[in-house]
Amino acid sequence: MRALLSEKNARVRKRAALAAGRIGDERAVPALLDLLKQDRDNEVRQMAAFAIGEIESPAGADALMAVLNNTGEPNEVRARGVEALGKIATALPESDRERKRAYGEAILNTLNFEAGRRSRPDRLTILLGLTAALRTRPEGAGPVVIRFLDYSDPRIVADALNTMARLRLK
């Protein structure tokens, strides 16, 4: 698998990243982190983020949080990063409250950033961020989710309402 993840052809690297994620072996995380951090192709980088989320390994969380904190990252990479962080946070044991809280906070910060980009928000980042918030159930999600209720995109409004209902937010 390592050879395929370092293949010259970006399509091969992308498909190998997806396969690594689907297999779910934590030993693939270092190679996927290399792709996420260094690959020239943004489709490969977003698939690496997705695959890290599929593996649900906390070993990938710091890199995902770095992607979310860097607002200059391509939208697609940030969207898959927030999705992956939500999956990792959900898989953490209840005893790991502090990390779960930090990941939930990063998800809410990403949603807040997108809500503040009223002229050019990224639809996919918002939708995947709302799902991540629903999965992680972070404290203080209500005021962040409410910001999406007046969007013109009916899918975003529907997902925000669904998130509010399922989190039992007032």
Side-chain angles (χ1 to χ4, degrees):
M1 184 64 78
R2 188 169 285 283
L4 293 173
L5 290 170
S6 60
E7 171 67 36
K8 284 184 181 183
N9 186 322
R11 289 183 60 199
V12 172
R13 291 192 311 274
K14 179 181 174 183
R15 292 183 59 84
L18 176 61
R22 297 287 193 219
I23 291 168
D25 189 334
E26 197 159 336
R27 292 177 294 179
V29 172
L32 291 169
L33 289 172
D34 287 344
L35 288 178
L36 176 63
K37 293 175 185 177
Q38 300 171 3
D39 203 275
R40 301 172 312 280
D41 189 289
N42 285 330
E43 287 187 21
V44 173
R45 292 183 68 225
Q46 70 180 336
M47 189 57 69
F50 176 83
I52 292 166
E54 288 291 285
I55 295 171
E56 298 179 342
S57 172
D62 287 342
L64 294 169
M65 288 179 59
V67 165
L68 296 182
N69 289 333
N70 181 359
T71 57
E73 286 282 2
N75 289 335
E76 298 82 9
V77 176
R78 289 186 81 239
R80 293 301 172 185
V82 75
E83 175 187 38
L85 194 59
K87 290 177 182 180
I88 291 169
T90 303
L92 289 173
E94 283 303 315
S95 61
D96 208 347
R97 287 187 186 97
E98 190 54 37
R99 261 203 291 193
K100 199 171 214 173
R101 184 204 57 75
Y103 299 165
E105 187 175 303
I107 291 165
L108 293 181
N109 288 342
T110 301
L111 285 170
N112 263 325
F113 175 78
E114 291 301 326
R117 294 175 55 184
R118 294 300 281 195
S119 62
R120 293 182 11 165
D122 183 61
R123 182 177 192 265
L124 185 60
T125 301
I126 294 169
L127 293 172
L128 295 178
L130 288 169
T131 301
L134 179 59
R135 285 183 173 137
T136 59
R137 303 179 172 275
E139 285 187 37
V144 177
V145 173
I146 286 171
R147 296 182 72 182
F148 297 100
L149 293 179
D150 63 352
Y151 267 63
S152 59
D153 185 327
R155 172 72 191 277
I156 289 175
V157 173
D159 280 19
L161 287 168
N162 180 53
T163 300
M164 288 182 66
R166 292 181 63 192
L167 293 179
R168 299 176 189 223
L169 300 173
K170 301 219 184 307

